[in-house]
Amino acid sequence: MNKEKLWQRSKQRIRFRNDDMDFYFAWILAHQNEGGSALGECFYTASQIKDGDPESWYKAWSEMARRVESQATQALARGHRVSAHETYLRAFTYHQMASIFIRPRDPRLREIWQKAQWCFRQATTQCKPSAEPIEITFEGKFLPGYFLRGNDESRKAPTLIMIGGGETCAEELYFWIGPAGIRRKYHILLVDLPGQGRTPFDGLFFRTNTEVPIKAVVDYTLTRPEVDAERLALFGISGGGYMVSRALPFEKRIKACIASAPIIDIYQLVMAEIPSVLLKTPGFFRNTLTRLAGLRNPLPGIALEKFCWQAGVSTISEALEMARQARVERIEEITCPVLCMVGEGESEAQMMQAREFYNALRCPKAFRVFVAADGADAHCQINNLGLMQQVVFDWLDEVFGYRAENL
């Protein structure tokens, strides 16, 4: 296992020597599948970045975001709505990815987030599939998200709820599953749980009992007349793989679930993945994360600082204590069909937890390992989202006995 990056998420290298930076670059490229990035724009931007330097990453992607956003605004002003739609989608991606290595208390983080969200909403109001902004009431606040209709008539259809991980937002999940679901006549609900997207700004933080917010999401989803309650599915990626796995024993209204990849013990996974250089840092567990800023590779420290902010804590020891409580139990009580997915480029610890979860299931189940020959071996199949989409929806079609008419 490579212990010099925060998580092992891929064995392939695309552009950067810094493994974390290279993974996020692959993530940006993946948005091309649904029009969220362009190859030439991405590689030009990468050429302006100093390998491993977070500030140069921010500067390069911000400049590209502003350039592309300006093109979108000009297209819209001239009445070219399709072009505006396409260009605002790319501007969203570049704004969002500019924020990856920004520390959580840097005021630029909220500013970037607001710009990214504005571009996404501009894009999805120009042409179909439109994304209806939603807010789900939760503990006196709101879980933000979007609902995408799989048909124009708002008639009942299978519905997939998608939950991201620690570094995603509801807007970004559009590129993972949104248009792919619409093409297959599925309704799609994209949502941020506490700790994701904008929610930490609103005082909502990661929690271990994810069955509680997921219940609120299911409650809301089932109020919509176009949702077929007997064909309601749940999909979680990355940290969302823990969130959905944890919720399944409690939430019997879910009729099928996909996890990429299942996580059953957050603490064990984190401890297996924290780089040795951080573990050897004096006072690592008791000090605040600002002490990590001087490391030669600052990116793992920034990621941990962001995680603590999203969890509503200030020290690593507090975050790890919270992680100790993040376990999936009562797996044998899960009754709906479950598809477990994992890439062979992920860490040994992640692979072991996915298999342990799968082996404990007593319900109808399937296990898919994506290999390098698939071009999909990275974390959450980020290097081949098209194949991931096919596997997910083909499996759901078979579970639900669904064949969309008039595709």
Side-chain angles (χ1 to χ4, degrees), residues 233-359:
L234 185 63
F235 181 20
I237 58 168
S238 193
Y242 164 77
M243 297 173 189
V244 301
S245 300
R246 164 84 187 206
L248 282 183
F250 302 91
E251 187 49 78
K252 301 302 182 183
R253 294 173 294 177
I254 296 297
K255 306 304 181 182
C257 182
I258 307 100
S260 179
I263 299 172
I264 60 175
D265 190 319
I266 294 286
Y267 180 80
Q268 291 298 327
L269 187 62
V270 168
M271 293 306 295
E273 296 289 339
I274 291 179
S276 55
V277 65
L278 294 183
L279 291 173
K280 294 175 182 177
T281 302
F284 174 73
F285 291 101
R286 67 177 181 273
N287 291 335
T288 60
L289 286 154
T290 54
R291 300 284 184 92
L292 302 176
L295 293 176
R296 187 172 72 173
N297 176 12
L299 304 189
I302 292 172
L304 285 170
E305 188 174 343
K306 265 193 173 175
F307 175 80
C308 288
W309 172 68
Q310 291 171 284
V313 300
S314 59
T315 65
I316 296 170
S317 59
E318 292 175 288
L320 290 177
E321 183 56 36
M322 179 179 176
R324 288 180 190 274
Q325 311 304 316
R327 289 186 53 83
V328 177
E329 299 173 334
R330 299 165 49 186
I331 299 172
E332 69 281 356
E333 296 181 20
I334 296 172
T335 55
C336 71
V338 177
L339 171 61
C340 304
M341 305 194 306
V342 66
E344 69 172 1
E346 299 193 62
S347 71
E348 180 181 349
Q350 174 62 93
M351 184 70 75
M352 288 177 61
Q353 291 209 16
R355 290 195 179 278
E356 184 176 347
F357 176 79
Y358 174 79
N359 290 336

Side-chain angles (χ1 to χ4, degrees), residues 135-144 194 198-199 202-204 207 212-213 216:
E135 289 186 326
I136 299 172
T137 302
F138 181 71
E139 296 184 350
K141 297 181 180 180
F142 298 99
L143 302 176
R198 82 173 196 218
T199 63
D202 300 332
L204 288 172
R207 53 195 299 159
V212 178

Side-chain angles (χ1 to χ4, degrees), residues 66-106:
R66 288 192 292 269
R67 181 182 183 87
V68 174
E69 182 183 336
S70 176
Q71 294 169 0
T73 302
Q74 292 174 34
L76 185 59
R78 295 172 181 170
H80 304 304
R81 297 185 63 187
V82 174
S83 294
H85 164 82
E86 295 170 344
T87 316
Y88 275 125
L89 282 181
R90 302 201 313 277
F92 160 79
T93 294
Y94 304 148
H95 277 305
Q96 185 217 6
M97 289 300 176
S99 72
I100 287 293
F101 302 124
I102 296 295
R103 295 181 182 278
R105 289 168 180 81
D106 187 324

